Amino acid sequence: MNLRFDRVCLHAFGHALPPVELSSAAIEERLGPLYERLKLPAGRLELMTGIGSRRLWPPGTRPSDGAAAAGAAAIAHSGIDPRALECLLFTSVSRDMMEPATAAFVHRTLKLPPSCLLFDISNACLGFLDGMVMLANMLELGQVRAGLLVAGETAEDLIASTLQHLLADTTLTRKTIKPLFASLTIGSGAVALVMTRSDYLDTGHYLRGGACRANTAHNDLCQGGQNAEQGTLMSTDSEQLLGKGIETAAACWTAFRENLGWELNAIDRFFCHQVGKAHAQMLFETLRLDPAKNFETLPTLGNVGSVSAPITMALGIEQGALVPGQRAAILGIGSGINALMLGIDW
């Protein structure tokens, strides 16, 4: 797939950070009986993942609530009249319900115009980046002049169900708890982005293109869902997912650089989907990336699903890690396995 854009501007990000902070130490405290039974050392979770804490929403918060809050912030930062937005895409793993589309609830909350095209995109942790591509295509073709992407992830049910299962199942061993422990790295959050066509509103921040790669022979390495008895659970073969994910990312990175013609040393900043410190280290080594050019939020936010890479970029811009005139790459890897990498001239 040839991802090249000439008329697409990134305008303004918005984000919403949940108010509840849950530390890895607090999770281990809740898992005290399991740790004692299996003789697991305290501090194991943070040591293995590099995640000190993650954020959670108050009870009753729906994915559309966080997404709408982030969307309102993005619109305010952009200065664009909400009535000028012609497309709204909701891109999270989490959703309010099966039907209608969660985008419909965000649309109503933000009071966007009835002429605004809206729908959901779902592709595990790559949803937001896929949304950037879909909206960019419409902007490039001139079908819309301005649009909004939103994502709101809610990890509360997953963490609660995982903790309950780990404590209730006394047959679990050090080996059989591994597929469940990856769920404890997940956090909540929301992010949004206004994008425009350059001849409508030129921000000077351009989405240039990118590349994607699929490796679906390994779509069984991370799977999750809900059931009435156990709630939301996810099973992850972390070691295999790490290896196959990096393999897919390497192929995508080669295609990304060939498609855009970008030399490695010409990229000033990287914003990555964040899984854990072992993943980041292997990714940088394999792709020959300078860790000093990476901006991360992993220690304080954990893995925020589809929100992870874009909120990291949003916070990086907010904190001055990416400034006008610099070049950035946003690197996405998701279960499936899929990789999508996008290049931005900021």
Side-chain angles (χ1 to χ4, degrees):
M1 185 176 186
N2 182 22
L3 297 178
R4 293 294 298 270
F5 306 111
D6 297 316
R7 304 174 181 85
V8 177
C9 291
L10 305 188
H11 200 300
F13 281 95
H15 60 79
L17 293 175
V20 181
E21 186 174 344
L22 178 62
S23 69
S24 292
I27 288 178
E28 290 187 327
E29 195 173 318
R30 296 187 193 182
L31 291 175
L34 175 73
Y35 269 57
E36 184 176 351
R37 180 172 67 82
L38 298 181
K39 296 180 171 56
L40 298 173
R44 173 189 178 95
L45 182 57
E46 183 172 357
L47 181 66
M48 289 173 57
T49 65
I51 299 169
S53 63
R54 70 284 293 136
R55 299 292 193 99
L56 299 178
W57 301 109
T61 303
R62 303 195 305 181
S64 64
D65 295 330
I75 294 170
H77 292 160
S78 73
I80 289 179
D81 187 332
R83 292 171 295 183
L85 294 171
E86 298 171 311
C87 181
L88 168 69
L89 305 181
F90 177 87
T91 65
S92 299
V93 177
S94 309
R95 61 188 70 178
D96 285 20
M97 57 189 68
M98 288 186 67
E99 188 179 352
T102 304
F105 297 102
V106 178
H107 180 275
R108 182 176 66 182
T109 300
L110 296 179
K111 297 181 172 58
L112 300 185
S115 57
C116 178
L117 173 70
L118 64 95
F119 57 93
D120 291 357
I121 290 178
S122 177
N123 189 18
C125 296
L126 285 184
F128 196 92
L129 272 63
D130 283 323
M132 291 176 69
V133 171
M134 294 300 103
L135 181 52
N137 287 336
M138 287 185 272
L139 292 166
E140 189 81 6
L141 289 170
Q143 295 174 328
V144 301
R145 296 174 300 170
L148 176 67
L149 302 169
V150 296
E153 298 290 12
T154 52
E156 294 73 31
D157 287 347
L158 174 61
I159 291 177
S161 297
T162 301
L163 290 173
Q164 181 179 355
H165 184 63
L166 285 168
L167 290 170
D169 189 348
T170 57
T171 67
L172 290 170
T173 65
R174 283 191 172 212
K175 181 178 181 180
T176 57
I177 63 171
K178 285 184 177 181
L180 292 165
F181 254 59
S183 300
L184 301 179
T185 68
I186 306 297
S188 298
V191 69
L193 172 64
V194 172
M195 295 171 58
T196 60
R197 184 177 164 92
S198 59
D199 58 8
Y200 171 66
L201 185 58
D202 194 333
T203 63
H205 311 313
Y206 305 110
L207 178 62
R208 297 303 191 188
C212 61
R213 284 295 181 271
N215 194 1
T216 56
H218 305 289
N219 63 21
D220 58 339
L221 297 180
C222 181
Q223 297 183 342
Q226 294 179 319
N227 63 61
E229 294 181 357
Q230 295 181 306
T232 304
L233 288 175
M234 185 169 67
S235 178
T236 306
D237 186 335
S238 299
E239 293 179 6
Q240 281 290 314
L241 186 63
L242 172 63
K244 297 303 180 182
I246 297 297
E247 176 185 297
T248 310
C252 189
W253 180 241
T254 299
F256 169 87
R257 291 179 57 200
E258 289 177 352
N259 189 34
L260 294 184
W262 286 10
E263 296 294 332
L264 183 59
N265 59 8
I267 304 173
D268 301 293
R269 277 290 179 186
F270 300 101
F271 301 98
C272 306
H273 174 62
Q274 301 179 116
V275 177
K277 65 179 183 180
H279 175 272
Q281 182 178 350
M282 186 177 290
L283 180 69
F284 299 151
E285 290 175 355
T286 303
L287 274 54
R288 296 186 294 114
L289 306 181
D290 181 358
K293 293 184 176 182
N294 179 55
F295 182 86
E296 69 170 1
T297 57
L298 178 71
T300 56
L301 297 184
N303 178 355
V304 201
S306 68
V307 171
S308 188
I311 201 171
T312 300
M313 183 173 179
L315 291 169
I317 293 168
E318 190 176 274
Q319 296 175 29
L322 181 67
V323 298
Q326 290 187 320
R327 177 166 281 176
I330 185 165
L331 312 182
I333 308 172
S335 58
I337 295 172
N338 294 291
L340 175 58
M341 301 180 178
L342 299 175
I344 297 155
D345 279 328
W346 194 254

